[in-house]
Amino acid sequence: MRTAMPTSHEALKVPEVMAALRLSRSKVYDLIRSKQLDSFTAGRARRVPVDAVRQYMRNQMEEAA
């Protein structure tokens, strides 16, 4: 089975985060702007650490419980 989140990368591109969370581009950037999803820039490129995506998912699960 193929996973949406690459396991070999430490940081994901925004389109990879979109695929992993099944969210729109604007929603991912909204999460970044609101500090719900940690990210950093490398030059002009925006990257999201894999751990930040996992933490966001854990936070969402805790809120839903």
Side-chain angles (χ1 to χ4, degrees):
M1 176 181 264
R2 186 173 173 215
T3 61
M5 191 165 23
T7 57
S8 62
H9 303 321
E10 292 295 317
L12 304 175
K13 297 177 184 177
V14 169
E16 293 171 328
V17 176
M18 292 167 51
L21 297 177
R22 296 182 182 249
L23 296 173
S24 69
R25 178 182 171 95
S26 61
K27 181 61 178 177
V28 171
Y29 279 110
D30 285 345
L31 293 172
I32 291 169
R33 268 192 294 279
S34 66
K35 306 288 187 202
Q36 294 180 51
L37 187 60
D38 291 334
S39 70
F40 63 92
T41 56
R44 291 180 56 190
R46 174 71 56 184
R47 297 290 183 259
V48 178
V50 171
D51 291 338
V53 175
R54 291 188 178 120
Q55 183 62 46
Y56 172 76
M57 290 189 294
R58 280 192 296 272
N59 292 344
Q60 291 301 106
M61 292 299 293
E62 288 172 4
E63 287 179 15

